[in-house]
Amino acid sequence: MLINKGHLAQPQDENCTLKIYVPFIEYQTLAVDTKNLRLITRLMALIRWVDPALAWDTSVYQYDEVVLPVNKVWTPEIHVTNGILTTMKHRSHDLLVSSNGTVQHSVIINAEVNCEVNLFNYPFAADECPVAIQTYSTGGCGTDLVLGELKMVDGSHGDWQTDFAALRKQRDDRNFIMVGLRIKYTNPCITLLLPSILIVLADLVSFALPLGGGERNTFKVTLVLSFTMFLNILNQVLPGDSQCSPVIRIHFCVCLILLVLSMLVSMVLTRVAQDGWVIFSCWPKCSVRKNTGDKEEKGDEVPEEAKADVSFVQLDASEDTQMLRKVVTFLEALNTKDMESQRCHELANRMDKIFFWFYFIFGGSYVCSMLSVMARYSCSVNHFDFWY
């Protein structure tokens, strides 16, 4: 008899509104897409409503409850307001009808929610995301939800942890589930933060290598190339931009700048250790060559002091005397060159120590400050901009 009625329209009374009771909702977070800022959820809801057209007289039909096919009667639809994609399916092909017209049914709602998750503190990110629930209603007619108990199941998925899920309301007609999300920072810290800090630490320790020989420059170039490849690989893993862009992007940028700056300074100091000046010129060498050239141009000329000492040898003007003069000139030039080279190395070492301590103090302060900002600073996001 009930099937033959074919009652597929919403029950209506004098106020044109039907109350849909939801005594129980089971919430589950399936995944959090940090690249596209999506929250993928699953809801299992027990719904109940009264349809007078489905009531019967128990004196005629002596049954208190019957099971009907779900496609033969009207059933309400539940939507997720801020859902990009929402699908509702019946948990079973049948529903339960009581003799007073009370209908009881279960539905499963899968929703992909557009949630602007605050990722500024990534990988220490934590935020709350609303899942707005509604039914059809327009102009004071339609259905009205009356929510009951909410239970959260299986709160851990991937890198994200669901801390809580609670039913809340903004207005009488605006019901939502507030979901507390928190990222499990162990995996991102090991795969993202720790390698970047270790590479900067290795670059800092590389100041122990000598300036000469090129070992330090080669090592620093290798670190820069390795970090660039590291960023290229992680580009597909890092979270997407939002109103609060992840500060870890700035962290990687600063680390790359530090590595490149250290590499350039090491190259410049290598030149300083060789030539004695920061500018790429040959002034010190030219001065040495000039001094040596002047002495060569003077040829056999001997300083006044030398003349006073070897004047008695010049009387014969022998070949041994000329050879002795050349040896003295060569040794003087060699001594001058050694002294100039030693002065250049001392200058380069002093500049290298100054930059090392600057690098050490700035790098240590930066790491502490960045970790403090990641862990403590909060960025506010309006999660309810879909309601207007």
Side-chain angles (χ1 to χ4, degrees):
M1 182 269 293
L2 297 178
I3 292 175
N4 290 333
K5 284 185 177 182
H7 189 65
L8 299 177
Q10 173 191 328
Q12 298 184 26
D13 53 17
E14 58 276 3
N15 62 6
C16 193
T17 301
L18 176 67
K19 289 188 177 296
I20 305 297
Y21 297 91
V22 186
F24 178 76
I25 298 178
E26 182 182 278
Y27 172 84
Q28 182 181 10
T29 299
L30 297 182
V32 179
D33 186 357
T34 56
K35 196 69 176 178
N36 300 311
L37 303 180
R38 299 287 187 268
L39 173 63
I40 304 172
T41 63
R42 177 184 179 274
L43 300 173
M44 194 281 291
L46 177 63
I47 56 177
R48 186 180 301 155
W49 69 96
V50 177
D51 191 345
L54 297 180
W56 69 87
D57 188 357
T58 55
S59 61
V60 179
Y61 302 98
Q62 299 178 0
Y63 305 100
D64 293 328
E65 297 176 335
V66 295
V67 176
L68 295 181
V70 71
N71 59 348
K72 297 299 182 179
V73 298
W74 175 87
T75 56
E77 291 187 2
I78 300 178
H79 306 280
V80 177
T81 307
N82 57 337
I84 303 297
L85 178 64
T86 304
T87 58
M88 188 192 83
K89 62 180 181 180
H90 303 286
R91 192 178 182 187
S92 65
H93 297 288
D94 301 307
L95 47 76
L96 183 65
V97 182
S98 300
S99 59
N100 59 357
T102 302
V103 185
Q104 184 172 311
H105 187 46
S106 295
V107 294
I108 298 175
I109 305 169
N110 294 308
E112 185 175 340
V113 180
N114 181 20
C115 183
E116 194 80 7
V117 182
N118 181 9
L119 296 175
F120 179 84
N121 306 92
Y122 187 88
F124 304 100
D127 201 3
E128 296 181 356
C129 185
V131 180
I133 302 175
Q134 70 173 20
T135 56
Y136 172 77
S137 178
T138 178
C141 290
T143 54
D144 184 19
L145 282 177
V146 180
L147 302 180
E149 180 185 0
L150 174 69
K151 180 177 178 59
M152 184 187 72
V153 296
D154 194 13
S156 179
H157 281 277
D159 291 334
W160 288 86
Q161 173 74 33
T162 304
D163 290 335
F164 66 90
L167 287 171
R168 297 179 184 175
K169 300 181 71 172
Q170 272 199 349
R171 296 186 327 202
D172 292 338
D173 59 340
R174 291 182 176 180
N175 301 280
F176 64 93
I177 301 174
M178 183 58 78
V179 182
L181 300 172
R182 175 174 51 85
I183 194 169
K184 293 183 284 186
Y185 57 85
T186 304
N187 187 30
C189 283
I190 295 176
T191 58
L192 297 179
L193 279 181
L194 186 59
S196 62
I197 295 176
L198 290 179
I199 290 177
V200 174
L201 180 62
D203 184 60
L204 181 66
V205 177
S206 67
F207 281 91
L209 297 174
L211 283 173
E215 292 86 357
R216 182 195 289 190
N217 294 337
T218 304
F219 182 73
K220 287 182 178 292
V221 171
T222 305
L223 288 180
V224 172
L225 294 178
S226 301
F227 193 74
T228 304
M229 291 298 298
F230 173 72
L231 293 183
N232 190 26
I233 295 173
L234 291 180
N235 188 37
Q236 302 298 326
V237 182
L238 292 176
D241 288 331
S242 61
Q243 295 181 15
C244 297
S245 182
V247 73
I248 195 171
R249 294 179 180 272
I250 302 176
H251 165 69
F252 287 146
C253 181
V254 173
C255 289
L256 183 59
I257 291 175
L258 287 176
L259 292 175
V260 173
L261 180 63
S262 175
M263 178 187 66
L264 296 178
V265 170
S266 179
M267 291 180 178
V268 172
L269 291 181
T270 302
R271 183 61 182 264
V272 171
Q274 181 179 357
D275 292 344
W277 190 244
V278 177
I279 303 176
F280 303 128
S281 63
C282 55
W283 291 348
K285 283 190 174 182
C286 289
S287 62
V288 173
R289 292 194 186 101
K290 183 178 180 181
N291 295 333
T292 307
D294 292 341
K295 292 180 180 180
E296 290 176 355
E297 289 175 2
K298 291 180 181 178
D300 295 338
E301 294 183 6
V302 182
E304 295 297 331
E305 295 80 3
K307 287 181 179 181
D309 295 335
V310 298
S311 57
F312 65 93
V313 182
Q314 292 180 355
L315 296 176
D316 299 332
S318 63
E319 294 181 357
D320 293 339
T321 304
Q322 294 180 359
M323 184 63 66
L324 180 61
R325 290 187 189 138
K326 292 182 180 180
V327 171
V328 171
T329 303
F330 173 76
L331 292 177
E332 288 180 351
L334 186 61
N335 187 30
T336 303
K337 184 177 180 180
D338 290 341
M339 292 178 62
E340 184 67 22
S341 177
Q342 184 178 1
R343 186 188 67 83
C344 293
H345 278 286
E346 290 178 356
L347 176 62
N349 288 330
R350 285 197 300 269
M351 296 176 65
D352 189 51
K353 290 180 181 179
I354 293 174
F355 183 76
F356 167 77
W357 285 110
F358 169 77
Y359 195 178
F360 178 78
I361 295 173
F362 179 80
S365 302
Y366 163 74
V367 171
C368 296
S369 301
M370 181 58 69
L371 293 178
S372 177
V373 169
M374 286 182 179
R376 297 184 179 182
Y377 183 80
S378 60
C379 182
S380 59
V381 178
N382 182 17
H383 295 295
F384 297 97
D385 54 356
F386 59 90
W387 273 331
Y388 51 88

